Amino acid sequence: MEVPAKLFGKEGEEKEILATLIYRPENLRARFSSKASKNFIIGLVPLAVVWEIPENFSNNQEARASVRYSSSASFSFRNMWLRLEYPLGFQFISSVIKPEEGNNIWNIGDVDPGEEGLIEVWGRINGEEGEVKSFRAELGVFNTLTKEWRTFRESSAIGKIAVTPLSITGSLKGSKEATVGL
């Protein structure tokens, strides 16, 4: 007897399947059962999540960050959610599609075979020259009542606060010395 099943989890995650078969031979009233378990590691999740952000940011720059998601599965992923984590110094301004929770969680619904989607956000980023900023995205399922998150696929990207290429020092008549960064 074969029972088809779809198991979901994060790539590389160890899972255990427990199965119980309850049966009654034809000429007996007694019921019998047999239990078995099998451990395995999820080898591939047919989902992709990819960031599109600038390599370099200027301090206090308003910037666009996009996340593309897609499925290469032969079945639909039902009721999927996308969660973004922004770096310290990133101030969310807006997005094309309004988030369901806070400024970083979207209900993207079903992701069908071959389907691709895009979430775009705008924000202002601040930091010190040369500071690396890390962005993270997770595609998975989210329970809005318990706030429990289950990640199926994740992705990260980094951008860097650019070093100011030019600094001019000068003085004006009767004023103290000043430094201006461009």
Side-chain angles (χ1 to χ4, degrees), residues 34-111:
S34 179
K35 294 182 180 184
S37 68
K38 175 75 176 168
N39 286 353
F40 66 95
I41 294 176
I42 295 177
L44 176 68
V45 176
L47 293 169
V49 181
V50 178
W51 278 98
E52 296 173 0
I53 64 168
E55 251 182 71
N56 293 296
F57 299 98
S58 294
N59 187 38
N60 203 32
Q61 175 185 351
E62 187 174 311
R64 178 179 68 91
S66 301
V67 176
R68 289 190 184 279
Y69 58 89
S70 62
S71 171
S72 61
S74 58
F75 54 89
S76 295
F77 283 89
R78 302 280 180 220
N79 194 25
M80 297 298 291
W81 292 74
L82 180 72
R83 176 168 62 179
L84 304 182
E85 292 180 15
Y86 311 117
L88 189 63
F90 183 87
Q91 178 189 1
F92 177 87
I93 295 173
S94 66
S95 62
V96 174
I97 300 169
K98 186 179 178 201
E100 294 283 329
E101 297 274 331
N103 63 10
N104 67 326
I105 299 178
W106 288 261
N107 182 346
I108 57 176
D110 298 344
V111 180

Side-chain angles (χ1 to χ4, degrees), residues 5-6 8 14 25 44-45 58 65-66 103 124-125 150 157 182:
K6 293 177 186 160
F8 296 96
E14 185 172 354
L44 176 68
V45 176
S58 294
S66 301
N103 63 10
R124 184 168 308 284
I125 192 153
R150 182 126 177 100
L182 298 176

Side-chain angles (χ1 to χ4, degrees), residues 121-137:
V121 298
W122 280 266
R124 184 168 308 284
I125 192 153
N126 290 293
E128 299 295 320
E129 289 184 355
E131 185 179 351
V132 174
K133 298 293 186 174
S134 182
F135 293 78
R136 182 177 148 111

Side-chain angles (χ1 to χ4, degrees), residues 171-182:
S171 64
L172 300 172
K173 282 187 178 178
S175 70
K176 295 185 178 179
E177 196 172 303
T179 302
V180 179
L182 298 176

